[in-house]
Amino acid sequence: MKISVKKLHPAAKLPVYATEEAAGADLCACLEAPVTIGPGETAMIPTGLAVEIPRGYVGLVFGRSGLALKRDLAPANKVGVIDSDYRGELKTALHNHGTEPQTVEPGERISQLVLVPYLTAQFTEADSLSDTQRGTGGFGSTGTR
């Protein structure tokens, strides 16, 4: 699948898959200077890119495991959703979950973009729903083992 990507800034880097079988393509920070994110703070980090996601697909922006594990930085909204009709700049709201300030450098890999097909539904009001073994059991109702 080919995805059209528009560079909004000359320093922007196109998304790149780190390995041949990677599901997510790395998105990089497009910054003029480093940005420091204090403990408990969130900063909007631009990529300098806009993308044309095909109709019927959604771009999901996930955190990078190494960034979260080693530096406590992860997307503030956990998973960003990029609809196929969005043409603005891709940005990642990085939140510092740690106790130390963290600095994001220009060109640093900050998140990853996964393209996923989706279905839309027609929601209709109902007076009842079908029965299941689980029923209304919610959080923790199926146990831990």
Side-chain angles (χ1 to χ4, degrees):
M1 171 186 297
K2 291 188 179 196
I3 303 293
S4 295
V5 180
K6 181 179 179 180
K7 281 189 170 186
L8 304 174
H9 189 280
K13 295 181 179 180
L14 293 180
V16 174
Y17 293 99
T19 66
E20 188 176 310
E21 295 185 36
D26 289 329
L27 297 174
C28 297
C30 185
L31 301 167
E32 298 289 331
V35 171
T36 299
I37 307 170
E41 293 181 348
T42 300
M44 191 67 77
I45 308 297
T47 66
L49 301 174
V51 297
E52 187 174 327
I53 296 171
R55 186 178 198 151
Y57 286 81
V58 62
L60 300 178
V61 179
F62 293 95
R64 297 191 68 251
S65 57
L67 204 57
L69 179 66
K70 297 174 183 174
R71 296 179 44 208
D72 293 314
L73 292 174
N77 58 338
K78 308 305 180 217
V79 178
V81 175
I82 304 166
D83 296 311
S84 63
D85 59 351
Y86 177 68
R87 295 295 183 268
E89 183 175 12
L90 303 184
K91 298 179 182 180
T92 300
L94 279 183
H95 183 77
N96 182 348
H97 293 275
T99 58
E100 300 292 325
Q102 296 294 326
T103 300
V104 177
E105 299 290 336
E108 182 175 350
R109 296 178 296 165
I110 55 168
S111 56
Q112 53 187 328
L113 175 65
V114 177
L115 298 172
V116 180
Y118 68 89
L119 301 172
T120 55
Q122 184 176 31
F123 297 97
T124 58
E125 186 174 349
D127 292 326
S128 63
L129 303 174
S130 62
D131 290 328
T132 66
Q133 183 178 354
R134 182 176 182 173
T136 59
F139 297 99
S141 67
T142 60
T144 58
R145 297 188 188 268

